[in-house]
Amino acid sequence: MKDKRTYTHLKEHGEDMTHENESKVDPKEDRGSLDLTFMIEQHKKEIWEYKQKESDWINTQNLADGYKKVIEELSAKLVDQVRIIAELEKKLADKNK
């Protein structure tokens, strides 16, 4: 807030100076914790943060599902390879007899 206005010219003493003690309140500065616009802005920020977290969780879940699918496919191939190796060893053993 500016200092009180003082007279700078001789003729000013006749003007109405009642506004000298009045102060203007800036609505952006006078927001308390119960101010509705302040609360709305805070909730919007919180919602944005939660949406970001949800997006990260969904991304992580999708990656986990993809990894799980790859592991299942590789496990199935490994079981098939073990079965094929067992059959080939049996055939080789039968051939060597």
Side-chain angles (χ1 to χ4, degrees):
M1 187 166 95
K2 293 178 16 178
D3 293 333
K4 289 184 176 181
R5 183 175 167 201
T6 58
Y7 297 117
T8 55
H9 300 311
L10 186 60
K11 289 186 177 182
E12 284 185 332
H13 72 282
E15 294 178 9
D16 184 16
M17 299 288 282
T18 57
H19 64 276
E20 72 182 12
N21 289 327
E22 293 178 10
S23 63
K24 292 183 180 179
V25 177
D26 187 11
K28 293 179 182 175
E29 292 178 10
D30 190 37
R31 291 201 232 175
S33 62
L34 299 177
D35 185 27
L36 188 58
T37 57
F38 176 74
M39 291 174 70
I40 290 172
E41 288 176 8
Q42 289 300 105
H43 287 301
K44 284 182 180 180
K45 288 178 185 177
E46 289 175 7
I47 289 170
W48 175 252
E49 290 172 4
Y50 286 126
K51 284 183 179 181
Q52 292 298 317
K53 288 180 184 178
E54 181 184 18
S55 174
D56 290 341
W57 290 333
I58 290 172
N59 187 25
T60 303
Q61 182 65 38
N62 289 340
L63 287 173
D65 290 342
Y67 294 149
K68 183 178 178 182
K69 187 174 180 180
V70 168
I71 290 170
E72 288 172 353
E73 289 174 1
L74 291 175
S75 296
K77 285 183 181 181
L78 181 63
V79 169
D80 286 342
Q81 293 298 320
V82 168
R83 183 184 49 80
I84 291 171
I85 290 172
E87 289 175 2
L88 290 174
E89 285 177 347
K90 187 177 180 184
K91 284 182 183 180
L92 185 61
D94 289 341
K95 210 176 206 185
N96 287 336
K97 286 186 182 180

Tab-separated table of all heavy atoms in Angstrom, residues 51-94:
chain	number	residue	atom	x	y	z
A	51	LYS	N	-5.115	-37.732	-12.124
A	51	LYS	CA	-5.211	-38.241	-13.494
A	51	LYS	C	-3.835	-38.659	-14.007
A	51	LYS	O	-3.708	-39.667	-14.715
A	51	LYS	CB	-5.817	-37.180	-14.416
A	51	LYS	CG	-7.312	-37.037	-14.253
A	51	LYS	CD	-7.886	-36.028	-15.229
A	51	LYS	CE	-9.395	-35.911	-15.063
A	51	LYS	NZ	-9.960	-34.949	-16.010
A	52	GLN	N	-2.798	-37.894	-13.657
A	52	GLN	CA	-1.439	-38.258	-14.055
A	52	GLN	C	-1.025	-39.575	-13.402
A	52	GLN	O	-0.437	-40.447	-14.053
A	52	GLN	CB	-0.447	-37.148	-13.678
A	52	GLN	CG	-0.624	-35.876	-14.469
A	52	GLN	CD	-0.406	-36.082	-15.946
A	52	GLN	OE1	0.522	-36.770	-16.349
A	52	GLN	NE2	-1.253	-35.509	-16.766
A	53	LYS	N	-1.330	-39.719	-12.118
A	53	LYS	CA	-1.005	-40.968	-11.422
A	53	LYS	C	-1.764	-42.144	-12.022
A	53	LYS	O	-1.203	-43.226	-12.221
A	53	LYS	CB	-1.333	-40.848	-9.936
A	53	LYS	CG	-0.385	-39.968	-9.171
A	53	LYS	CD	-0.771	-39.896	-7.703
A	53	LYS	CE	0.125	-38.943	-6.944
A	53	LYS	NZ	-0.267	-38.837	-5.528
A	54	GLU	N	-3.039	-41.928	-12.325
A	54	GLU	CA	-3.843	-42.995	-12.927
A	54	GLU	C	-3.268	-43.386	-14.279
A	54	GLU	O	-3.189	-44.571	-14.615
A	54	GLU	CB	-5.291	-42.542	-13.079
A	54	GLU	CG	-6.188	-43.614	-13.669
A	54	GLU	CD	-7.606	-43.139	-13.903
A	54	GLU	OE1	-7.844	-41.917	-13.944
A	54	GLU	OE2	-8.476	-44.004	-14.049
A	55	SER	N	-2.836	-42.408	-15.048
A	55	SER	CA	-2.232	-42.683	-16.349
A	55	SER	C	-0.964	-43.519	-16.178
A	55	SER	O	-0.734	-44.474	-16.933
A	55	SER	CB	-1.912	-41.369	-17.056
A	55	SER	OG	-1.217	-41.605	-18.244
A	56	ASP	N	-0.153	-43.164	-15.192
A	56	ASP	CA	1.064	-43.946	-14.927
A	56	ASP	C	0.715	-45.369	-14.509
A	56	ASP	O	1.366	-46.330	-14.941
A	56	ASP	CB	1.907	-43.275	-13.846
A	56	ASP	CG	2.544	-41.982	-14.318
A	56	ASP	OD1	2.640	-41.779	-15.552
A	56	ASP	OD2	2.944	-41.163	-13.456
A	57	TRP	N	-0.303	-45.511	-13.667
A	57	TRP	CA	-0.702	-46.853	-13.219
A	57	TRP	C	-1.218	-47.689	-14.386
A	57	TRP	O	-0.898	-48.871	-14.498
A	57	TRP	CB	-1.775	-46.764	-12.146
A	57	TRP	CG	-1.291	-46.226	-10.843
A	57	TRP	CD1	-0.017	-46.292	-10.350
A	57	TRP	CD2	-2.057	-45.533	-9.866
A	57	TRP	NE1	0.053	-45.677	-9.137
A	57	TRP	CE2	-1.188	-45.197	-8.794
A	57	TRP	CE3	-3.389	-45.153	-9.770
A	57	TRP	CZ2	-1.616	-44.516	-7.672
A	57	TRP	CZ3	-3.804	-44.478	-8.651
A	57	TRP	CH2	-2.930	-44.174	-7.607
A	58	ILE	N	-2.006	-47.080	-15.254
A	58	ILE	CA	-2.527	-47.806	-16.416
A	58	ILE	C	-1.387	-48.214	-17.328
A	58	ILE	O	-1.352	-49.347	-17.826
A	58	ILE	CB	-3.573	-46.947	-17.162
A	58	ILE	CG1	-4.845	-46.821	-16.328
A	58	ILE	CG2	-3.894	-47.532	-18.533
A	58	ILE	CD1	-5.859	-45.834	-16.877
A	59	ASN	N	-0.432	-47.312	-17.533
A	59	ASN	CA	0.732	-47.628	-18.362
A	59	ASN	C	1.514	-48.799	-17.765
A	59	ASN	O	1.900	-49.732	-18.480
A	59	ASN	CB	1.630	-46.394	-18.490
A	59	ASN	CG	2.750	-46.590	-19.470
A	59	ASN	OD1	2.656	-47.409	-20.380
A	59	ASN	ND2	3.816	-45.841	-19.302
A	60	THR	N	1.723	-48.760	-16.459
A	60	THR	CA	2.448	-49.833	-15.785
A	60	THR	C	1.676	-51.148	-15.881
A	60	THR	O	2.272	-52.213	-16.115
A	60	THR	CB	2.680	-49.466	-14.306
A	60	THR	OG1	3.384	-48.229	-14.253
A	60	THR	CG2	3.470	-50.529	-13.593
A	61	GLN	N	0.361	-51.090	-15.723
A	61	GLN	CA	-0.469	-52.299	-15.819
A	61	GLN	C	-0.394	-52.890	-17.225
A	61	GLN	O	-0.292	-54.111	-17.387
A	61	GLN	CB	-1.922	-51.984	-15.450
A	61	GLN	CG	-2.834	-53.188	-15.471
A	61	GLN	CD	-2.465	-54.207	-14.428
A	61	GLN	OE1	-2.078	-53.853	-13.326
A	61	GLN	NE2	-2.585	-55.467	-14.759
A	62	ASN	N	-0.439	-52.032	-18.239
A	62	ASN	CA	-0.338	-52.515	-19.621
A	62	ASN	C	1.010	-53.178	-19.875
A	62	ASN	O	1.081	-54.219	-20.538
A	62	ASN	CB	-0.563	-51.370	-20.607
A	62	ASN	CG	-2.004	-50.910	-20.644
A	62	ASN	OD1	-2.907	-51.629	-20.240
A	62	ASN	ND2	-2.224	-49.699	-21.123
A	63	LEU	N	2.082	-52.571	-19.352
A	63	LEU	CA	3.400	-53.180	-19.508
A	63	LEU	C	3.460	-54.527	-18.794
A	63	LEU	O	3.999	-55.506	-19.340
A	63	LEU	CB	4.485	-52.248	-18.946
A	63	LEU	CG	4.805	-51.007	-19.777
A	63	LEU	CD1	5.764	-50.105	-19.017
A	63	LEU	CD2	5.407	-51.414	-21.106
A	64	ALA	N	2.911	-54.600	-17.584
A	64	ALA	CA	2.917	-55.851	-16.836
A	64	ALA	C	2.127	-56.934	-17.574
A	64	ALA	O	2.565	-58.093	-17.645
A	64	ALA	CB	2.352	-55.635	-15.438
A	65	ASP	N	0.979	-56.562	-18.144
A	65	ASP	CA	0.186	-57.534	-18.907
A	65	ASP	C	0.958	-58.021	-20.134
A	65	ASP	O	0.932	-59.218	-20.460
A	65	ASP	CB	-1.144	-56.922	-19.334
A	65	ASP	CG	-2.091	-56.694	-18.171
A	65	ASP	OD1	-1.874	-57.303	-17.104
A	65	ASP	OD2	-3.047	-55.893	-18.336
A	66	GLY	N	1.643	-57.108	-20.805
A	66	GLY	CA	2.445	-57.485	-21.969
A	66	GLY	C	3.587	-58.422	-21.580
A	66	GLY	O	3.841	-59.427	-22.258
A	67	TYR	N	4.276	-58.102	-20.487
A	67	TYR	CA	5.362	-58.975	-20.019
A	67	TYR	C	4.835	-60.353	-19.645
A	67	TYR	O	5.448	-61.386	-19.930
A	67	TYR	CB	6.079	-58.358	-18.820
A	67	TYR	CG	6.826	-57.072	-19.122
A	67	TYR	CD1	6.965	-56.094	-18.152
A	67	TYR	CD2	7.389	-56.834	-20.370
A	67	TYR	CE1	7.647	-54.924	-18.418
A	67	TYR	CE2	8.059	-55.670	-20.647
A	67	TYR	CZ	8.197	-54.713	-19.663
A	67	TYR	OH	8.876	-53.554	-19.923
A	68	LYS	N	3.668	-60.375	-18.995
A	68	LYS	CA	3.072	-61.642	-18.585
A	68	LYS	C	2.762	-62.503	-19.811
A	68	LYS	O	3.021	-63.707	-19.822
A	68	LYS	CB	1.792	-61.372	-17.789
A	68	LYS	CG	1.128	-62.609	-17.257
A	68	LYS	CD	-0.097	-62.236	-16.437
A	68	LYS	CE	-0.817	-63.463	-15.937
A	68	LYS	NZ	-2.026	-63.109	-15.180
A	69	LYS	N	2.240	-61.874	-20.855
A	69	LYS	CA	1.903	-62.607	-22.076
A	69	LYS	C	3.167	-63.168	-22.729
A	69	LYS	O	3.193	-64.328	-23.169
A	69	LYS	CB	1.169	-61.683	-23.046
A	69	LYS	CG	0.626	-62.365	-24.262
A	69	LYS	CD	-0.206	-61.425	-25.107
A	69	LYS	CE	-0.749	-62.139	-26.316
A	69	LYS	NZ	-1.551	-61.244	-27.151
A	70	VAL	N	4.226	-62.366	-22.771
A	70	VAL	CA	5.490	-62.830	-23.364
A	70	VAL	C	6.049	-63.995	-22.556
A	70	VAL	O	6.514	-64.998	-23.120
A	70	VAL	CB	6.509	-61.663	-23.440
A	70	VAL	CG1	7.893	-62.169	-23.766
A	70	VAL	CG2	6.068	-60.635	-24.461
A	71	ILE	N	5.993	-63.897	-21.235
A	71	ILE	CA	6.502	-64.971	-20.379
A	71	ILE	C	5.707	-66.255	-20.599
A	71	ILE	O	6.275	-67.357	-20.677
A	71	ILE	CB	6.474	-64.538	-18.897
A	71	ILE	CG1	7.536	-63.471	-18.660
A	71	ILE	CG2	6.685	-65.720	-17.972
A	71	ILE	CD1	7.456	-62.801	-17.306
A	72	GLU	N	4.377	-66.128	-20.709
A	72	GLU	CA	3.553	-67.311	-20.955
A	72	GLU	C	3.897	-67.951	-22.296
A	72	GLU	O	3.986	-69.179	-22.401
A	72	GLU	CB	2.068	-66.935	-20.911
A	72	GLU	CG	1.550	-66.627	-19.530
A	72	GLU	CD	0.135	-66.084	-19.529
A	72	GLU	OE1	-0.422	-65.809	-20.621
A	72	GLU	OE2	-0.423	-65.916	-18.428
A	73	GLU	N	4.095	-67.136	-23.332
A	73	GLU	CA	4.447	-67.674	-24.648
A	73	GLU	C	5.805	-68.367	-24.613
A	73	GLU	O	5.974	-69.456	-25.175
A	73	GLU	CB	4.451	-66.555	-25.686
A	73	GLU	CG	3.078	-66.018	-26.028
A	73	GLU	CD	3.117	-64.806	-26.945
A	73	GLU	OE1	4.245	-64.378	-27.335
A	73	GLU	OE2	2.049	-64.284	-27.264
A	74	LEU	N	6.792	-67.744	-23.961
A	74	LEU	CA	8.113	-68.355	-23.872
A	74	LEU	C	8.078	-69.639	-23.043
A	74	LEU	O	8.772	-70.616	-23.370
A	74	LEU	CB	9.122	-67.365	-23.278
A	74	LEU	CG	9.478	-66.175	-24.173
A	74	LEU	CD1	10.390	-65.210	-23.426
A	74	LEU	CD2	10.148	-66.645	-25.453
A	75	SER	N	7.264	-69.643	-22.001
A	75	SER	CA	7.138	-70.855	-21.182
A	75	SER	C	6.526	-71.990	-21.995
A	75	SER	O	6.970	-73.145	-21.910
A	75	SER	CB	6.271	-70.589	-19.953
A	75	SER	OG	6.885	-69.647	-19.121
A	76	ALA	N	5.518	-71.675	-22.796
A	76	ALA	CA	4.893	-72.697	-23.642
A	76	ALA	C	5.890	-73.230	-24.655
A	76	ALA	O	5.967	-74.448	-24.895
A	76	ALA	CB	3.667	-72.115	-24.339
A	77	LYS	N	6.688	-72.339	-25.247
A	77	LYS	CA	7.696	-72.780	-26.208
A	77	LYS	C	8.755	-73.644	-25.526
A	77	LYS	O	9.217	-74.638	-26.088
A	77	LYS	CB	8.362	-71.576	-26.874
A	77	LYS	CG	7.494	-70.896	-27.896
A	77	LYS	CD	8.228	-69.748	-28.570
A	77	LYS	CE	7.335	-69.056	-29.583
A	77	LYS	NZ	8.037	-67.953	-30.259
A	78	LEU	N	9.135	-73.285	-24.310
A	78	LEU	CA	10.128	-74.053	-23.572
A	78	LEU	C	9.606	-75.457	-23.274
A	78	LEU	O	10.333	-76.449	-23.442
A	78	LEU	CB	10.501	-73.338	-22.272
A	78	LEU	CG	11.550	-74.019	-21.403
A	78	LEU	CD1	12.872	-74.112	-22.145
A	78	LEU	CD2	11.725	-73.282	-20.104
A	79	VAL	N	8.340	-75.555	-22.870
A	79	VAL	CA	7.750	-76.868	-22.606
A	79	VAL	C	7.726	-77.695	-23.888
A	79	VAL	O	8.038	-78.898	-23.878
A	79	VAL	CB	6.328	-76.707	-22.010
A	79	VAL	CG1	5.585	-78.031	-21.983
A	79	VAL	CG2	6.413	-76.106	-20.619
A	80	ASP	N	7.363	-77.074	-25.016
A	80	ASP	CA	7.371	-77.788	-26.301
A	80	ASP	C	8.780	-78.253	-26.653
A	80	ASP	O	8.964	-79.389	-27.125
A	80	ASP	CB	6.830	-76.893	-27.418
A	80	ASP	CG	5.323	-76.707	-27.346
A	80	ASP	OD1	4.664	-77.515	-26.662
A	80	ASP	OD2	4.815	-75.740	-27.967
A	81	GLN	N	9.774	-77.413	-26.436
A	81	GLN	CA	11.154	-77.786	-26.751
A	81	GLN	C	11.625	-78.955	-25.873
A	81	GLN	O	12.303	-79.868	-26.358
A	81	GLN	CB	12.095	-76.583	-26.580
A	81	GLN	CG	11.868	-75.467	-27.576
A	81	GLN	CD	12.102	-75.904	-29.005
A	81	GLN	OE1	13.050	-76.651	-29.294
A	81	GLN	NE2	11.242	-75.463	-29.910
A	82	VAL	N	11.252	-78.917	-24.604
A	82	VAL	CA	11.618	-80.023	-23.706
A	82	VAL	C	10.951	-81.310	-24.169
A	82	VAL	O	11.572	-82.388	-24.170
A	82	VAL	CB	11.230	-79.683	-22.248
A	82	VAL	CG1	11.328	-80.900	-21.351
A	82	VAL	CG2	12.102	-78.562	-21.713
A	83	ARG	N	9.701	-81.242	-24.591
A	83	ARG	CA	8.990	-82.419	-25.093
A	83	ARG	C	9.654	-82.946	-26.361
A	83	ARG	O	9.871	-84.160	-26.516
A	83	ARG	CB	7.522	-82.064	-25.370
A	83	ARG	CG	6.676	-83.249	-25.818
A	83	ARG	CD	5.252	-82.837	-26.181
A	83	ARG	NE	5.156	-81.697	-27.079
A	83	ARG	CZ	5.319	-81.750	-28.412
A	83	ARG	NH1	5.604	-82.884	-29.008
A	83	ARG	NH2	5.204	-80.660	-29.152
A	84	ILE	N	10.009	-82.039	-27.270
A	84	ILE	CA	10.667	-82.444	-28.522
A	84	ILE	C	12.015	-83.090	-28.222
A	84	ILE	O	12.379	-84.116	-28.814
A	84	ILE	CB	10.817	-81.233	-29.471
A	84	ILE	CG1	9.432	-80.805	-29.985
A	84	ILE	CG2	11.736	-81.572	-30.639
A	84	ILE	CD1	9.443	-79.497	-30.762
A	85	ILE	N	12.782	-82.516	-27.314
A	85	ILE	CA	14.093	-83.075	-26.946
A	85	ILE	C	13.922	-84.465	-26.356
A	85	ILE	O	14.679	-85.402	-26.678
A	85	ILE	CB	14.834	-82.132	-25.971
A	85	ILE	CG1	15.266	-80.877	-26.714
A	85	ILE	CG2	16.026	-82.828	-25.335
A	85	ILE	CD1	15.836	-79.788	-25.819
A	86	ALA	N	12.907	-84.650	-25.502
A	86	ALA	CA	12.668	-85.966	-24.905
A	86	ALA	C	12.322	-86.993	-25.977
A	86	ALA	O	12.798	-88.140	-25.951
A	86	ALA	CB	11.559	-85.874	-23.873
A	87	GLU	N	11.500	-86.608	-26.953
A	87	GLU	CA	11.138	-87.516	-28.046
A	87	GLU	C	12.364	-87.873	-28.881
A	87	GLU	O	12.559	-89.047	-29.254
A	87	GLU	CB	10.062	-86.882	-28.931
A	87	GLU	CG	8.697	-86.792	-28.293
A	87	GLU	CD	7.691	-86.045	-29.160
A	87	GLU	OE1	8.046	-85.622	-30.293
A	87	GLU	OE2	6.541	-85.858	-28.707
A	88	LEU	N	13.187	-86.856	-29.184
A	88	LEU	CA	14.390	-87.111	-29.976
A	88	LEU	C	15.374	-88.007	-29.226
A	88	LEU	O	16.006	-88.897	-29.826
A	88	LEU	CB	15.060	-85.792	-30.376
A	88	LEU	CG	14.310	-84.945	-31.407
A	88	LEU	CD1	15.011	-83.608	-31.606
A	88	LEU	CD2	14.179	-85.694	-32.722
A	89	GLU	N	15.513	-87.825	-27.929
A	89	GLU	CA	16.408	-88.683	-27.143
A	89	GLU	C	15.893	-90.115	-27.124
A	89	GLU	O	16.656	-91.067	-27.197
A	89	GLU	CB	16.521	-88.137	-25.701
A	89	GLU	CG	17.391	-86.910	-25.596
A	89	GLU	CD	17.439	-86.341	-24.176
A	89	GLU	OE1	16.614	-86.736	-23.330
A	89	GLU	OE2	18.318	-85.496	-23.939
A	90	LYS	N	14.558	-90.258	-27.052
A	90	LYS	CA	13.966	-91.598	-27.078
A	90	LYS	C	14.223	-92.281	-28.406
A	90	LYS	O	14.590	-93.449	-28.457
A	90	LYS	CB	12.476	-91.499	-26.786
A	90	LYS	CG	11.810	-92.828	-26.634
A	90	LYS	CD	10.343	-92.656	-26.277
A	90	LYS	CE	9.692	-94.026	-26.136
A	90	LYS	NZ	8.254	-93.907	-25.886
A	91	LYS	N	14.038	-91.510	-29.506
A	91	LYS	CA	14.280	-92.079	-30.837
A	91	LYS	C	15.756	-92.455	-31.000
A	91	LYS	O	16.095	-93.486	-31.545
A	91	LYS	CB	13.886	-91.073	-31.920
A	91	LYS	CG	12.409	-90.948	-32.142
A	91	LYS	CD	12.098	-89.955	-33.270
A	91	LYS	CE	10.623	-89.764	-33.440
A	91	LYS	NZ	10.317	-88.809	-34.513
A	92	LEU	N	16.631	-91.601	-30.493
A	92	LEU	CA	18.066	-91.863	-30.577
A	92	LEU	C	18.433	-93.110	-29.752
A	92	LEU	O	19.235	-93.937	-30.208
A	92	LEU	CB	18.860	-90.637	-30.086
A	92	LEU	CG	20.375	-90.713	-30.224
A	92	LEU	CD1	20.758	-90.870	-31.697
A	92	LEU	CD2	21.019	-89.512	-29.643
A	93	ALA	N	17.827	-93.246	-28.603
A	93	ALA	CA	18.100	-94.419	-27.757
A	93	ALA	C	17.574	-95.685	-28.430
A	93	ALA	O	18.229	-96.736	-28.380
A	93	ALA	CB	17.453	-94.229	-26.396
A	94	ASP	N	16.396	-95.596	-29.078
A	94	ASP	CA	15.837	-96.750	-29.782
A	94	ASP	C	16.703	-97.128	-30.987
A	94	ASP	O	16.875	-98.291	-31.315
A	94	ASP	CB	14.408	-96.477	-30.263
A	94	ASP	CG	13.417	-96.413	-29.115
A	94	ASP	OD1	13.738	-96.918	-28.023
A	94	ASP	OD2	12.311	-95.835	-29.311
